């Protein structure tokens, strides 16, 4: 199978999972904001690693909820995508969104001052 085809399958699986995760009624999953950040399907389409980020809620409980709902998720993906084999999903926590939010918070606390200008108002430094 060509790499470009597998890339398209990865993208479609990611899009479908983003929609399906919102419909899960498990309180461990529905209580958190979950973002599917990526999906990697093996070349034989039997397994897929799904990277997700969760904000709000306990991370371990969200992982347990996703694992418990993996059969439901797999069935919904099989209905939505016309694949020869529907992959089994392994959910992996991705901390990139939280890391980016933390860096943005740090950058927002930085204050700039106007001490860099010259004292007499000459900006090119000539008298």
């Amino acid at each position: 199978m060509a790499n470009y085809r597998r890339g398209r399958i990865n993208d479609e699986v990611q899009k479908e999972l983003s929609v399906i995760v919102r419909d899960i009624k498990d309180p461990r999953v529905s209580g958190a904001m979950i973002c599917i950040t990526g999906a990697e399907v093996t070349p034989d389409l039997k397994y897929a690693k799904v990277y997700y980020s969760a904000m709000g809620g306990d991370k371990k409980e969200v992982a347990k909820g996703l694992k418990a709902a993996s059969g439901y998720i797999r069935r919904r993906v099989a209905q939505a995508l016309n694949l020869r084999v529907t992959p089994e999903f392994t959910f992996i926590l991705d901390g990139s969104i939280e890391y980016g939010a933390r860096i943005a918070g740090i950058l927002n606390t930085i204050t700039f001052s106007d001490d860099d200008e010259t004292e007499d108002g000459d900006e090119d430094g000539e008298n």
Side-chain angles (χ1 to χ4, degrees), residues 5 17 20 31-32 35 39 61 65-66 81 84 87 100-101 106 113 116 126:
R5 180 170 182 251
L17 287 173
I20 293 169
C35 177
E61 291 299 318
L66 286 172
L81 301 178
R84 195 172 298 183
I106 291 170
S113 63
D116 294 341
E126 293 180 8

Side-chain angles (χ1 to χ4, degrees), residues 41-52:
V41 178
T42 58
D44 60 358
L45 300 178
K46 288 189 178 187
Y47 303 100
K49 292 180 184 177
V50 178
Y51 298 96
Y52 71 95

Side-chain angles (χ1 to χ4, degrees), residues 101-118:
R102 188 173 62 99
I103 295 298
I106 291 170
L107 290 175
N108 287 336
T109 61
I110 296 174
T111 58
F112 296 100
S113 63
D114 293 335
D115 293 340
D116 294 341
E117 293 182 17
T118 57

Side-chain angles (χ1 to χ4, degrees), residues 15-126:
K15 287 177 189 175
E16 284 301 318
L17 287 173
S18 296
V19 173
I20 293 169
V21 165
R22 290 188 206 124
D23 296 339
I24 296 175
K25 298 200 182 341
D26 190 337
R28 297 175 289 191
V29 177
S30 63
M33 185 178 81
I34 298 175
C35 177
I36 304 297
T37 58
E40 291 180 6
V41 178
T42 58
D44 60 358
L45 300 178
K46 288 189 178 187
Y47 303 100
K49 292 180 184 177
V50 178
Y51 298 96
Y52 71 95
S53 181
M55 297 184 79
D58 185 23
K59 307 284 188 268
K60 291 181 182 180
E61 291 299 318
V62 170
K64 288 178 185 177
L66 286 172
K67 187 174 182 180
S70 63
Y72 168 76
I73 294 170
R74 187 175 183 198
R75 184 171 53 86
R76 290 277 310 267
V77 168
Q79 291 171 350
L81 301 178
N82 188 15
L83 296 175
R84 195 172 298 183
V85 178
T86 304
E88 293 180 23
F89 297 109
T90 303
F91 293 96
I92 300 169
L93 182 64
D94 183 15
S96 62
I97 292 179
E98 289 178 347
Y99 180 74
R102 188 173 62 99
I103 295 298
I106 291 170
L107 290 175
N108 287 336
T109 61
I110 296 174
T111 58
F112 296 100
S113 63
D114 293 335
D115 293 340
D116 294 341
E117 293 182 17
T118 57
E119 298 281 328
D120 58 352
D122 258 346
E123 297 211 5
D124 26 331
E126 293 180 8

